[in-house]
Short mmCIF file of all heavy atoms in Angstrom, two decimals:
data_model
loop_
_atom_site.label_atom_id
_atom_site.label_comp_id
_atom_site.label_asym_id
_atom_site.label_seq_id
_atom_site.Cartn_x
_atom_site.Cartn_y
_atom_site.Cartn_z
N THR A 511 73.02 90.49 124.38
CA THR A 511 71.64 90.71 123.94
C THR A 511 71.49 90.39 122.46
O THR A 511 70.53 89.73 122.04
CB THR A 511 71.22 92.16 124.22
OG1 THR A 511 71.35 92.45 125.61
CG2 THR A 511 69.78 92.39 123.78
N VAL A 512 72.45 90.85 121.65
CA VAL A 512 72.39 90.59 120.21
C VAL A 512 72.48 89.09 119.93
O VAL A 512 71.72 88.54 119.12
CB VAL A 512 73.53 91.34 119.49
CG1 VAL A 512 73.57 90.95 118.01
CG2 VAL A 512 73.33 92.85 119.61
N ILE A 513 73.40 88.41 120.59
CA ILE A 513 73.58 86.97 120.37
C ILE A 513 72.33 86.20 120.84
O ILE A 513 71.90 85.24 120.20
CB ILE A 513 74.84 86.47 121.09
CG1 ILE A 513 76.08 87.06 120.41
CG2 ILE A 513 74.91 84.94 121.07
CD1 ILE A 513 77.37 86.80 121.15
N SER A 514 71.74 86.63 121.95
CA SER A 514 70.52 85.98 122.44
C SER A 514 69.38 86.15 121.44
O SER A 514 68.60 85.21 121.20
CB SER A 514 70.12 86.56 123.80
OG SER A 514 71.11 86.30 124.77
N TYR A 515 69.29 87.33 120.84
CA TYR A 515 68.26 87.59 119.82
C TYR A 515 68.46 86.66 118.62
O TYR A 515 67.50 86.04 118.12
CB TYR A 515 68.34 89.05 119.39
CG TYR A 515 67.54 89.38 118.16
CD1 TYR A 515 66.16 89.57 118.24
CD2 TYR A 515 68.15 89.51 116.92
CE1 TYR A 515 65.42 89.89 117.10
CE2 TYR A 515 67.42 89.83 115.78
CZ TYR A 515 66.06 90.00 115.87
OH TYR A 515 65.34 90.30 114.75
N ALA A 516 69.72 86.52 118.17
CA ALA A 516 70.01 85.66 117.03
C ALA A 516 69.68 84.20 117.36
O ALA A 516 69.11 83.47 116.53
CB ALA A 516 71.48 85.80 116.64
N PHE A 517 70.04 83.76 118.56
CA PHE A 517 69.78 82.39 118.96
C PHE A 517 68.28 82.10 119.03
O PHE A 517 67.82 81.03 118.61
CB PHE A 517 70.44 82.12 120.31
CG PHE A 517 70.39 80.69 120.75
CD1 PHE A 517 71.01 79.69 120.01
CD2 PHE A 517 69.72 80.33 121.91
CE1 PHE A 517 70.96 78.36 120.41
CE2 PHE A 517 69.67 79.00 122.32
CZ PHE A 517 70.29 78.02 121.56
N ALA A 518 67.52 83.06 119.55
CA ALA A 518 66.07 82.90 119.64
C ALA A 518 65.45 82.80 118.25
O ALA A 518 64.56 81.96 118.01
CB ALA A 518 65.46 84.07 120.40
N LYS A 519 65.92 83.62 117.32
CA LYS A 519 65.40 83.57 115.95
C LYS A 519 65.73 82.24 115.29
O LYS A 519 64.90 81.67 114.56
CB LYS A 519 66.00 84.73 115.14
CG LYS A 519 65.39 86.08 115.43
CD LYS A 519 63.96 86.14 114.93
CE LYS A 519 63.36 87.50 115.05
NZ LYS A 519 61.95 87.55 114.57
N LEU A 520 66.94 81.74 115.53
CA LEU A 520 67.33 80.46 114.95
C LEU A 520 66.47 79.32 115.50
O LEU A 520 66.03 78.44 114.74
CB LEU A 520 68.81 80.19 115.24
CG LEU A 520 69.40 78.91 114.66
CD1 LEU A 520 69.32 78.92 113.14
CD2 LEU A 520 70.85 78.73 115.11
N LEU A 521 66.23 79.34 116.80
CA LEU A 521 65.38 78.31 117.41
C LEU A 521 63.96 78.39 116.87
O LEU A 521 63.32 77.36 116.59
CB LEU A 521 65.36 78.45 118.93
CG LEU A 521 66.65 78.08 119.67
CD1 LEU A 521 66.46 78.28 121.17
CD2 LEU A 521 67.06 76.65 119.38
N ASP A 522 63.43 79.61 116.73
CA ASP A 522 62.09 79.79 116.20
C ASP A 522 61.97 79.16 114.81
O ASP A 522 60.96 78.52 114.48
CB ASP A 522 61.73 81.28 116.12
CG ASP A 522 61.33 81.84 117.47
OD1 ASP A 522 61.06 81.04 118.38
OD2 ASP A 522 61.30 83.07 117.61
N TRP A 523 62.99 79.37 113.99
CA TRP A 523 62.97 78.81 112.64
C TRP A 523 63.12 77.29 112.66
O TRP A 523 62.35 76.57 112.02
CB TRP A 523 64.09 79.42 111.80
CG TRP A 523 64.26 78.72 110.48
CD1 TRP A 523 63.47 78.85 109.36
CD2 TRP A 523 65.26 77.74 110.15
NE1 TRP A 523 63.92 78.00 108.37
CE2 TRP A 523 65.01 77.32 108.82
CE3 TRP A 523 66.33 77.19 110.85
CZ2 TRP A 523 65.81 76.37 108.19
CZ3 TRP A 523 67.12 76.24 110.23
CH2 TRP A 523 66.87 75.85 108.91
N TYR A 524 64.08 76.80 113.41
CA TYR A 524 64.40 75.38 113.36
C TYR A 524 63.27 74.50 113.91
O TYR A 524 63.00 73.41 113.38
CB TYR A 524 65.69 75.10 114.14
CG TYR A 524 66.19 73.69 113.99
CD1 TYR A 524 66.91 73.31 112.85
CD2 TYR A 524 65.93 72.73 114.95
CE1 TYR A 524 67.36 72.01 112.70
CE2 TYR A 524 66.37 71.42 114.80
CZ TYR A 524 67.09 71.07 113.67
OH TYR A 524 67.51 69.77 113.52
N PHE A 525 62.61 74.95 114.97
CA PHE A 525 61.58 74.15 115.60
C PHE A 525 60.17 74.48 115.11
O PHE A 525 59.19 73.91 115.62
CB PHE A 525 61.66 74.29 117.12
CG PHE A 525 62.87 73.62 117.71
CD1 PHE A 525 63.94 74.37 118.17
CD2 PHE A 525 62.95 72.24 117.78
CE1 PHE A 525 65.06 73.76 118.70
CE2 PHE A 525 64.07 71.61 118.31
CZ PHE A 525 65.13 72.38 118.77
N ASP A 526 60.06 75.39 114.15
CA ASP A 526 58.76 75.69 113.54
C ASP A 526 58.64 74.80 112.31
O ASP A 526 59.19 75.11 111.25
CB ASP A 526 58.69 77.17 113.16
CG ASP A 526 57.30 77.59 112.73
OD1 ASP A 526 56.42 76.73 112.58
OD2 ASP A 526 57.08 78.80 112.53
N ILE A 527 57.93 73.67 112.42
CA ILE A 527 57.95 72.66 111.37
C ILE A 527 56.55 72.27 110.92
O ILE A 527 55.55 72.47 111.63
CB ILE A 527 58.71 71.39 111.82
CG1 ILE A 527 58.01 70.74 113.02
CG2 ILE A 527 60.15 71.71 112.15
CD1 ILE A 527 58.60 69.42 113.45
N TYR A 528 56.50 71.71 109.72
CA TYR A 528 55.29 71.09 109.18
C TYR A 528 55.57 69.60 108.97
O TYR A 528 56.65 69.23 108.49
CB TYR A 528 54.89 71.72 107.84
CG TYR A 528 54.67 73.21 107.89
CD1 TYR A 528 55.69 74.09 107.55
CD2 TYR A 528 53.44 73.75 108.27
CE1 TYR A 528 55.50 75.46 107.58
CE2 TYR A 528 53.24 75.12 108.30
CZ TYR A 528 54.28 75.97 107.95
OH TYR A 528 54.09 77.33 107.98
N LEU A 529 54.61 68.76 109.33
CA LEU A 529 54.72 67.33 109.13
C LEU A 529 53.58 66.84 108.26
O LEU A 529 52.43 67.27 108.43
CB LEU A 529 54.68 66.58 110.47
CG LEU A 529 55.78 66.88 111.49
CD1 LEU A 529 55.51 66.12 112.78
CD2 LEU A 529 57.15 66.52 110.94
N ILE A 530 53.90 65.96 107.33
CA ILE A 530 52.88 65.26 106.55
C ILE A 530 52.97 63.79 106.94
O ILE A 530 54.02 63.17 106.81
CB ILE A 530 53.12 65.39 105.03
CG1 ILE A 530 53.34 66.86 104.63
CG2 ILE A 530 51.94 64.78 104.26
CD1 ILE A 530 52.17 67.76 104.92
N THR A 531 51.87 63.25 107.43
CA THR A 531 51.86 61.87 107.87
C THR A 531 50.91 61.05 107.00
O THR A 531 50.32 61.56 106.03
CB THR A 531 51.43 61.75 109.35
OG1 THR A 531 50.01 61.85 109.45
CG2 THR A 531 52.08 62.84 110.19
N SER A 532 50.75 59.81 107.36
CA SER A 532 49.84 58.94 106.63
C SER A 532 48.37 59.28 106.89
O SER A 532 47.49 58.71 106.24
CB SER A 532 50.10 57.48 107.00
OG SER A 532 50.04 57.31 108.40
N GLN A 533 48.11 60.21 107.80
CA GLN A 533 46.73 60.58 108.12
C GLN A 533 46.44 62.07 108.01
O GLN A 533 45.33 62.47 107.70
CB GLN A 533 46.40 60.13 109.55
CG GLN A 533 46.50 58.63 109.77
CD GLN A 533 46.23 58.25 111.21
OE1 GLN A 533 45.67 59.03 111.98
NE2 GLN A 533 46.62 57.05 111.60
N ARG A 534 47.43 62.91 108.24
CA ARG A 534 47.16 64.34 108.42
C ARG A 534 48.38 65.18 108.10
O ARG A 534 49.46 64.68 107.86
CB ARG A 534 46.72 64.60 109.86
CG ARG A 534 47.67 63.96 110.88
CD ARG A 534 47.14 64.02 112.29
NE ARG A 534 47.78 63.03 113.16
CZ ARG A 534 47.66 63.00 114.47
NH1 ARG A 534 46.94 63.91 115.08
NH2 ARG A 534 48.27 62.06 115.17
N PHE A 535 48.16 66.50 108.13
CA PHE A 535 49.29 67.43 108.08
C PHE A 535 49.22 68.30 109.32
O PHE A 535 48.14 68.67 109.80
CB PHE A 535 49.30 68.27 106.79
CG PHE A 535 47.98 68.86 106.38
CD1 PHE A 535 47.62 70.14 106.76
CD2 PHE A 535 47.11 68.13 105.59
CE1 PHE A 535 46.42 70.68 106.37
CE2 PHE A 535 45.90 68.67 105.19
CZ PHE A 535 45.55 69.95 105.58
N ILE A 536 50.39 68.61 109.86
CA ILE A 536 50.50 69.23 111.18
C ILE A 536 51.47 70.40 111.11
O ILE A 536 52.53 70.30 110.48
CB ILE A 536 51.02 68.21 112.22
CG1 ILE A 536 50.12 66.97 112.25
CG2 ILE A 536 51.12 68.83 113.60
CD1 ILE A 536 50.75 65.80 112.96
#
């Protein structure tokens, strides 16, 4: 359970991203 919690938090951080493109920010 503890390891699953840590893995979920890591995924949340890694895949929570901002992009700046030639047209917009996302």
Side-chain angles (χ1 to χ4, degrees):
T511 302
V512 173
I513 292 172
S514 297
Y515 168 79
F517 187 62
K519 284 291 187 181
L520 182 61
L521 289 180
D522 281 346
W523 170 78
Y524 188 81
F525 289 107
D526 189 352
I527 62 174
Y528 303 95
L529 299 176
I530 310 298
T531 80
S532 54
Q533 299 177 17
R534 49 189 160 169
F535 46 94
I536 304 165

